[in-house]
Amino acid sequence: MSDSRRAWTVPAALLIAAAVGCRQDTQDVRGGAVGDRTLPQSQPAVLRAADTTGLPAEGALARVAIGDIAGVGNNTLATQMKNPYSGDMAAITQGQELFVGMNCAACHGYDLKGGMGPDLTDTYWRYGGSPAAIYKTIFEGRPQGMPAWGRTIPPALIWKVAAYIESKGGAFPARLADRGRQGDLADEDTTAGSTLKGRNNVY
Amino acid sequence: MNGRGRREERARGREVVRGACAAALLTTMACGSKEHGARTAELAAATVPAPAGVAAPSVAARGAAWLPEGATDGDWMMPSRDYAGTRYSPLTEVDTSNVGTLQLAWTFDDGESHYGHEMTPLVQGNTMYIVSPFPNRAYAIDLSKPGGQVKWKFEPNPSPIAIGKACCDAVNRGAALYDGKLIFNLLDDHTVAVDAATGKEVWRTKLANVEDGTTMTMAPLVVDGKVYVGNSGGEMGVSGWLAALDAGTGKELWRAYSVGPDSMVRIGNEFSPFYSWMRGKDLGVKTWPANAWKHGAGAVWGWVTYDPESKWIYYGTSNTGPWNAAQRPGLNLWTSGVFARNADDGMARWAYVFTPHNEWDYDGVNENVLVDLPIDGHPRKVMVQFNRNGFAYTIDRTTGEVLVAKPFGHENWASGIDPKTAMPIVNEAKHTVPPGRWVRDICPADIGVKDFEPTAFSPKTGLFYVPVQNVCMDYKGREVSYIAGTPYWGAHMSRHTGPGGHPGSFIAFDAAKGEKVWEIPEDFLVYSGALVTAGDVVFYGTIEGWFRAADARTGKVLWSRKLGSGIISAPMAYRAPDGHEYIAVAAGVGGGAMTQASQPGFPPRGSTYYVFSLGKNVPAVPPQTGAKGEGGAPQKTGGKP
Amino acid sequence: MCTERARRARRRSALAALTLVPLAACNGTTSYLDAQGASGHPAAVLGVWLTAISGAVVAIVCVAILAGIWRHRGEHNAPQVEDARAKEEHDGSAGSAAARREIRSGLRWIYIGIGATVVVLLLTFAGTMVTLDAASRPREVPSLTLDVTGHQWWWEVRYSDLHDPSLGFVTANEVHLPIGVPVRVRLHSADVIHSFWLPQIAGKTDVIPGQVNEMWLQADHAGTSRGSCAEYCGLGHAVMALAATAEAPAAFARWAAARRAEASPATTPALQAGELVFVRSCGACHAVAGTNALGRYGPDLTHLASRPSIGAGALANTPENLARWIRNAPALKEGSRMPALALDDADLRTVVAYLTTLR
């Protein structure tokens, strides 16, 4: 490139950048009073589907048994439903924020070792310890004072909280859900094959 | 010297060293051995000797007006035996000379070992009454039958939702006997009255919704035709209250809230607090940010006492909600304080707040014992509260003036109580606001220097007998949302033993002077209430399960027995149908004592009531129920091999 | 020739640079130069002065360079200097007197330049100190305190009175200021570094997690303006606006009293149903004083209907936008912590109707 052309490139670039930026601001001002900025017409509001697709259907969850109701041995598929957010660090982080923000930590402990509510890191689960069972417990509430969150927190967020609880090591992996119901997994390394590195805290 | 010689020398040297180490180890082990007998001697040696010749106090003799109607010397018809809250038994059969011969007479297990046992059994005439923790079953035990026999059982079936809403175990702190009825609270916010003779329900009143996080664990006070009950839920963002029910029908007569406008708190023209910062209109709203008072707690989960001369009741209010004080700037009246109210209409006469703008969960609900003490040479009508915050308050119960306020255990959050305003002088380093950072080593911890476990007062010695806790905490506050039915907390805590290494001790305290008189240090938390008798014997227990009797004047431990579980209730003394004195206590660890559960040696849960008497009163073979012969000769019963 | 081309190139770049200057005026309401408040105005004035002085210096230097170039155009400076030096060496001291005179006259300009510059710098320094003093402390102790907490990506605004805790209240994404009254602002962060900026009133102050930064504000002219976050804080940084209104103290007191009050109770069955849906589905994160919805995770909504925008400037506050926002907030404001709520149409209509009554 010749000298003179090189000399023009920088100011030209600045000019273009300023022009673009300025246009945004004038659009702002043209919008009128404060906060009147609506979406530019050229961009239709697309409802992002990420929050609901990929999650287990509510109907399928209805078939997940609570605890050890007799007869459920015939239908194990529902209990073995996977948590789409298992092992997903971003989801686990958000799950932890919710665990504290929704006061779960106040009953179950900041370390999930229990207090007013039971320990969530041991392998004893009154109402089932598979991801689907944990989801149902949070969604429906339980008789001894566990509140029902299903109408308050959207399904995606409940799965994320379940993913956080799973990351603490007490839950049964989905594929072993039925064996775990009678405490048979208490001494086994249930993390084999899972995406989590170790049994204990991911943090 | 050649190499081998040197090696031999070194080998010999090592032998000598090993021998010395072994000797030292054995000596240390021998010295540190904790055999029962050695332990008692150690305890005796560790107490501070009392000053020679403890003077007889000028305490007015209390008449029958201070006892529930119909109570005899051998009865124990309410948790503190009398309306003043003294937990003093006039029985003299057991005294310092013979308490060493106490033997187990019989036991009773209520089968509820899931939860802590905080109840003191009641006795009237030939019957003992017990209420279990959730599900709050009531039992009447016929004491005229050898070993005690269950006369009736009452199953109230409270809602299990309450279990998940109780912050500190699904406990019950006791019942009251009145007019032939056993009256107590259910965890799911009902008060029930049961016919004491038949065990049939007489009335049941619902007082709140358990789904909102309110529970009821306190023991009602029943006097003059009214039942006084209060709620629990200081950690759940409830609105605290005390209600009066009609003892005959259970109908609610009035309810006094702890926070809110004067109309809700039942403050009227007769209200006259001693200190200026508590005078003003609607302070239960004005000392809070807008709308924060509705979930400010001030729950009434402790003890209520009654002065029959003035007909006033005294009770305390719980911590402030939420624990994270940054969300509620202001003095936060009337939480963490004490109310004196007219027992008839509930209108407040005076109030005092122990820990305004409470940042540490120091509730004000502990028992307010009503005694007459000589202060500066003059006899004064006072109430004494050993508060969670570590200060023992002696307050004029007619005006609310704080006469004495001295620490009765280790505390470092305040350097004292200002004598002019009676406000605490807070140590700047122990503020837990602003939140979001760890504040280390705040003493006492949230469970306080003394929790709800009640003291006892002996009019003979003029001293209070106080269980003392030595636990400190690291505290980190955080912002919290109020979500109905979940805890409204905002605190992350860890606790550790305080300085000196003893997590608990049992002391005798002179509330007129504000001084400790003697102390028995313990290796486990002392979370039990106290009993003191006219025989000058004081009883208490530890959370490890040791139940001890000590000389009320000197603090020398005279008798100890290890029970099946930790003791978190107060013992009582009664006269059985055989005319002898018996001491009863529940052993079932739980409640706030579970904060120590990781301590080595911490016992499992329990559910047994132990009844002791002097060895001579406990025959080797007690007479059998319905036995035809005597001396327990075996009888032939038809059809059995 | 080489130098001729270089000269032309330099001239062209100078012209190009000049064209950028007017574009600065494109920043309508969010220019720091527009600051009117008692703490922001001195800084704006200083800014203008510094710009003017700098501009003047640039102009003088340019003129001097151009004058020099013009005066000596066509000459070959380099050989002249070389000749003078060669002559000096050759002549000794005789021919260098002329050279020395030339050098001394050049030095005179240097001395003049340094002197003028020092004077200007000293004046500027003095002006800066005066401005800093004016901007750092208000004339009187502020009795009104604002605690502003920056969240990702909204502002929590808490008003409190030093003496009376019951006068405090909370709102979100809006700030009202009484004219002529200094207000103390304490800045907290709930997560990452933000920066609090009300351009027409005061300068920027960073909002840093783990510490509380303090500043003060005073609005001197009535009107509304737009504040924003001025430190990149994540996906929603650009949509983190603050509506700032300055009004007479009496109007401010009325506004504060209205904000302090609880939400008007739901009277009709439809509104009560809406309140129920709200408490159940929104109350865990949002607060409406007077109901059982007291969440602090998201902004306080007690007086939502009287706020100019939704989502800290994401949408205008209309019922249709409210419905779209509740349905799927992350699609409208990228990264929004508010999830897409699975409310059925009837519930959505009921709750939006309820929300529009929260004035």
Side-chain angles (χ1 to χ4, degrees):
Chain A
M1 208 192 279
S2 71
D3 265 349
S4 55
R5 242 177 278 154
R6 231 205 313 257
W8 275 107
T9 47
V10 169
L14 284 171
L15 193 65
I16 292 166
V20 169
C22 177
R23 239 191 105 250
Q24 295 280 52
D25 278 326
T26 47
Q27 200 177 62
D28 216 7
V29 171
R30 214 190 304 131
V34 170
D36 213 351
R37 193 190 122 192
T38 54
L39 289 176
Q41 283 309 304
S42 56
Q43 216 180 309
V46 173
L47 290 186
R48 206 165 293 156
D51 272 341
T52 44
T53 58
L55 298 179
E58 296 299 318
L61 277 159
R63 289 195 286 278
V64 175
I66 300 174
D68 56 348
I69 293 175
V72 77
N74 292 330
N75 173 13
T76 58
L77 292 176
T79 327
Q80 288 175 8
M81 195 181 296
K82 276 191 179 3
N83 179 349
Y85 293 110
S86 270
D88 177 342
M89 284 310 294
I92 290 173
T93 309
Q94 198 178 357
Q96 184 189 26
E97 276 177 26
L98 282 164
F99 193 83
V100 171
M102 297 294 115
N103 295 337
C104 318
C107 275
H108 290 285
Y110 285 92
D111 55 3
L112 279 70
K113 294 278 182 202
M116 283 173 66
D119 187 340
L120 302 176
T121 62
D122 62 14
T123 50
Y124 173 65
W125 294 87
R126 204 177 275 152
Y127 306 108
S130 64
I134 295 173
Y135 173 92
K136 273 191 70 135
T137 294
I138 299 172
F139 190 101
E140 297 168 358
R142 290 290 181 247
Q144 291 194 32
M146 169 69 188
W149 294 94
R151 309 287 282 293
T152 301
I153 303 182
L157 294 186
I158 300 183
W159 284 113
K160 289 181 184 173
V161 175
Y164 170 64
I165 294 170
E166 285 174 60
S167 76
K168 293 297 185 181
F172 304 133
R175 61 190 167 80
L176 297 173
D178 296 308
R179 289 190 47 216
R181 212 179 291 126
Q182 282 176 267
D184 292 334
L185 296 176
D187 297 319
E188 236 183 76
D189 174 16
T190 53
T191 60
S194 79
T195 53
L196 301 174
K197 286 207 174 51
R199 189 176 181 73
N200 295 314
N201 299 353
V202 176
Y203 288 93
Chain B
M1 218 185 289
N2 58 12
R4 176 177 307 181
R6 231 176 278 133
R7 247 180 281 135
E8 278 174 4
E9 263 216 16
R10 251 179 270 136
R12 252 178 279 136
R14 261 179 263 139
E15 289 281 335
V16 170
V17 170
R18 258 188 241 129
C21 283
L25 196 61
L26 283 169
T27 320
T28 323
M29 281 170 62
C31 288
S33 101
K34 296 263 190 262
E35 244 189 285
H36 168 62
R39 177 81 180 121
T40 317
E42 224 182 23
L43 286 171
T47 64
V48 175
V54 176
S58 54
V59 173
R62 291 284 172 75
W66 288 88
L67 289 168
E69 218 175 291
T72 66
D73 271 2
D75 288 335
W76 195 286
M77 290 172 62
M78 56 183 287
S80 54
R81 190 172 179 274
D82 59 27
Y83 292 125
T86 65
R87 292 178 168 79
Y88 168 78
S89 170
L91 300 174
T92 53
E93 187 186 359
V94 173
D95 58 33
T96 52
S97 67
N98 59 23
V99 70
T101 69
L102 273 187
Q103 293 275 33
L104 183 67
W106 54 275
T107 64
F108 172 77
D109 193 307
D110 69 13
E112 288 311 321
S113 56
H114 271 108
Y115 310 114
H117 283 59
E118 296 182 4
M119 189 213 180
T120 300
L122 301 181
V123 168
Q124 185 181 20
N126 291 351
T127 317
M128 176 182 278
Y129 300 88
I130 279 169
V131 175
S132 74
F134 189 93
N136 303 133
R137 278 193 206 98
Y139 295 89
I141 299 170
D142 186 344
L143 298 171
S144 63
K145 301 278 193 328
Q149 197 181 71
V150 176
K151 202 158 85 171
W152 54 251
K153 177 173 84 166
F154 172 70
E155 296 244 28
N157 288 316
S159 164
I161 298 176
I163 298 172
K165 310 298 185 197
C167 80
C168 313
D169 215 1
V171 296
N172 184 292
R173 276 180 214 99
L177 281 165
Y178 183 85
D179 193 32
K181 290 187 272 287
L182 180 74
I183 302 174
F184 58 98
N185 291 316
L186 305 182
L187 195 64
D188 70 348
D189 306 327
H190 291 80
T191 308
V192 291
V194 173
D195 185 302
T198 62
K200 298 274 178 286
E201 182 176 309
V202 177
W203 52 256
R204 178 190 294 223
T205 305
K206 178 172 163 182
L207 283 132
N209 286 322
V210 71
E211 294 88 356
D212 291 339
T214 312
T215 49
M216 286 172 77
T217 55
M218 53 89 81
L221 177 87
V222 190
V223 65
D224 211 18
K226 289 198 196 47
V227 180
Y228 299 94
V229 292
N231 60 350
S232 299
E235 274 63 61
M236 306 293 284
V238 304
S239 180
W241 47 258
L242 176 93
L245 314 176
D246 179 281
T249 63
K251 183 164 163 300
E252 185 174 327
L253 301 168
W254 48 259
R255 187 179 295 211
Y257 287 85
S258 306
V259 189
D262 287 352
S263 53
M264 278 176 72
V265 183
R266 294 187 83 80
I267 285 177
N269 297 325
E270 328 81 347
F271 186 61
S272 155
F274 193 83
Y275 298 97
S276 58
W277 52 279
M278 284 179 277
R279 287 187 220 128
K281 198 155 175 347
D282 287 341
L283 291 182
V285 172
K286 293 220 183 81
T287 53
W288 299 78
N291 309 313
W293 57 267
K294 292 191 179 163
H295 296 284
V300 180
W301 62 270
W303 310 102
V304 188
T305 47
Y306 172 75
D307 182 337
E309 284 154 21
S310 60
K311 294 206 195 302
W312 288 7
I313 49 170
Y314 298 84
Y315 69 94
T317 57
S318 82
N319 61 290
T320 323
W323 285 31
N324 177 24
Q327 294 178 215
R328 44 170 176 87
L331 292 179
N332 308 139
L333 270 38
W334 305 88
T335 58
S336 321
V338 58
F339 272 109
R341 293 184 182 277
N342 178 312
D344 212 18
D345 56 15
M347 298 307 288
R349 289 291 193 261
W350 59 261
Y352 169 66
V353 172
F354 301 101
T355 314
H357 192 59
N358 190 341
E359 298 172 45
W360 311 270
D361 188 43
Y362 297 149
D363 292 43
V365 299
N366 290 351
E367 68 288 356
N368 302 295
V369 189
L370 312 178
V371 292
D372 298 340
L373 290 180
I375 313 272
D376 293 334
H378 305 287
R380 300 286 290 263
K381 290 182 189 296
V382 299
M383 54 149 265
V384 177
Q385 188 189 118
F386 292 87
N387 192 276
R388 286 267 282 273
N389 67 14
F391 286 88
Y393 293 84
T394 306
I395 300 178
D396 183 321
R397 69 174 185 267
T398 60
T399 62
E401 181 189 356
V402 176
L403 302 170
V404 184
K406 298 265 184 67
F408 64 100
H410 178 72
E411 59 81 31
N412 65 13
W413 70 281
S415 57
I417 309 291
D418 184 308
K420 272 197 287 296
T421 61
M423 291 183 101
I425 304 163
V426 180
N427 179 349
E428 287 304 312
K430 302 301 179 188
H431 279 294
T432 60
V433 292
R437 65 200 166 98
W438 281 103
V439 183
R440 303 276 172 200
D441 212 39
I442 302 174
C443 304
D446 57 323
I447 57 172
V449 175
K450 190 182 88 66
D451 206 330
F452 70 91
E453 65 271 14
T455 64
F457 172 78
S458 168
K460 289 183 71 182
T461 62
L463 297 175
F464 281 85
Y465 299 95
V466 191
V468 167
Q469 294 161 185
N470 183 22
V471 184
C472 304
M473 66 177 171
D474 296 341
Y475 182 110
K476 178 171 165 184
R478 56 200 315 156
E479 186 162 73
V480 59
S481 298
Y482 173 74
I483 303 174
T486 68
Y488 191 40
W489 219 319
H492 191 177
M493 268 184 305
S494 71
R495 302 177 191 85
H496 52 274
T497 303
H502 288 285
S505 57
F506 189 73
I507 67 171
F509 195 85
D510 181 334
K513 296 206 199 81
E515 284 166 7
K516 188 164 53 177
V517 172
W518 52 251
E519 174 173 6
I520 306 171
E522 291 281 356
D523 291 333
F524 280 81
L525 197 64
V526 177
Y527 207 76
S528 81
L531 161 73
V532 66
T533 72
D536 282 344
V537 184
V538 65
F539 291 87
Y540 73 97
T542 73
I543 61 168
E544 196 196 354
W546 283 105
F547 185 46
R548 304 199 203 280
D551 184 321
R553 291 183 190 274
T554 64
K556 177 160 182 263
V557 175
L558 302 170
W559 174 90
S560 281
R561 204 106 310 175
K562 182 83 156 16
L563 306 185
S565 180
I567 301 155
I568 59 169
S569 59
M572 51 83 78
Y574 71 96
R575 189 186 291 121
D578 63 7
H580 294 297
E581 179 178 344
Y582 286 75
I583 315 283
V585 70
V589 79
M594 297 312 287
T595 56
Q596 307 290 94
S598 54
Q599 186 179 2
F602 192 83
R605 300 264 196 175
S607 51
T608 308
Y609 289 80
Y610 294 80
V611 184
F612 297 92
S613 192
L614 295 178
K616 66 177 175 62
N617 300 334
V618 184
V621 184
Q624 296 301 301
T625 316
K628 296 285 191 307
E630 281 159 24
Q635 300 294 306
K636 274 219 174 70
T637 46
K640 289 212 180 112
Chain C
M1 290 239 280
C2 165
T3 45
E4 183 68 50
R5 227 185 300 144
R7 241 185 294 130
R8 253 182 267 133
R10 258 180 265 134
R11 230 180 293 150
R12 274 189 227 115
S13 19
L15 279 167
L18 278 172
T19 56
L20 293 175
V21 170
L23 289 176
C26 261
N27 287 336
T29 57
T30 52
S31 162
Y32 86 100
L33 293 174
D34 289 341
Q36 298 294 313
S39 67
H41 190 61
V45 166
L46 181 68
V48 168
W49 271 107
L50 286 175
T51 312
I53 291 170
S54 313
V57 168
V58 167
I60 291 169
V61 168
C62 280
V63 162
I65 290 175
L66 289 170
I69 294 171
W70 183 263
R71 191 142 60 91
H72 296 280
R73 66 186 183 287
E75 289 173 21
H76 280 253
N77 287 334
Q80 248 193 354
V81 171
E82 275 184 33
D83 281 347
R85 267 209 218 114
K87 235 199 252 168
E88 217 183 294
E89 286 166 18
H90 183 73
D91 294 341
S93 55
S96 62
R100 248 180 278 135
R101 248 199 316 266
E102 180 128 4
I103 290 168
R104 233 180 281 129
S105 73
L107 274 177
R108 197 180 356 121
W109 280 111
I110 290 173
Y111 294 146
I112 290 172
I114 289 175
T117 312
V118 165
V119 167
V120 167
L121 281 177
L122 280 176
L123 286 173
T124 312
F125 176 74
T128 309
M129 288 297 118
V130 166
T131 305
L132 280 178
D133 182 63
S136 68
R137 256 189 322 278
R139 262 167 275 120
E140 56 207 46
V141 175
S143 64
L144 184 60
T145 306
L146 270 184
D147 280 275
V148 175
T149 305
H151 295 256
Q152 280 175 318
W153 291 276
W154 56 281
W155 298 97
E156 177 188 335
V157 179
R158 222 162 257 286
Y159 282 79
S160 54
D161 185 282
L162 265 184
H163 308 288
D164 191 342
S166 67
L167 294 180
F169 60 92
V170 66
T171 182
N173 301 326
E174 59 175 357
V175 172
H176 277 231
L177 299 165
I179 294 172
V181 173
V183 173
R184 181 157 72 128
V185 181
R186 283 196 294 232
L187 298 165
H188 315 258
S189 169
D191 31 48
V192 299
I193 300 180
H194 302 273
S195 190
F196 178 72
W197 191 33
L198 300 178
Q200 299 220 327
I201 298 170
K204 303 176 188 175
T205 308
D206 273 2
V207 175
I208 299 174
Q211 75 183 50
V212 179
N213 283 343
E214 270 200 32
M215 62 178 291
W216 70 280
L217 292 173
Q218 185 176 317
D220 288 323
H221 301 272
T224 58
S225 62
R226 180 186 197 269
S228 61
C229 176
E231 181 70 39
Y232 182 72
C233 48
L235 290 168
H237 165 70
V239 191
M240 195 168 156
L242 207 52
T245 309
E247 53 196 357
F252 172 79
R254 275 197 303 276
W255 174 85
R259 282 292 181 273
R260 205 173 292 131
E262 290 177 2
S264 34
T267 41
T268 69
L271 290 179
Q272 281 160 0
E275 183 182 321
L276 269 176
V277 173
F278 183 83
V279 171
R280 185 195 76 206
S281 301
C282 320
C285 291
H286 291 287
V288 171
T291 68
N292 249 355
L294 292 168
R296 289 166 81 109
Y297 208 65
D300 184 286
L301 301 179
T302 310
H303 302 282
L304 172 67
S306 58
R307 282 197 213 138
S309 73
I310 305 169
L315 299 169
N317 192 350
T318 66
E320 301 77 40
N321 282 343
L322 259 181
R324 286 165 71 206
W325 177 258
I326 295 171
R327 256 262 146 70
N328 197 338
L332 300 168
K333 178 171 173 178
E334 188 166 356
S336 166
R337 291 276 172 80
M338 167 141 168
L341 284 179
L343 284 180
D344 60 29
D345 284 335
D347 277 346
L348 185 60
R349 253 179 283 124
T350 327
V351 80
V352 169
Y354 172 71
L355 288 170
T356 52
T357 66
L358 296 176
R359 299 224 142 263

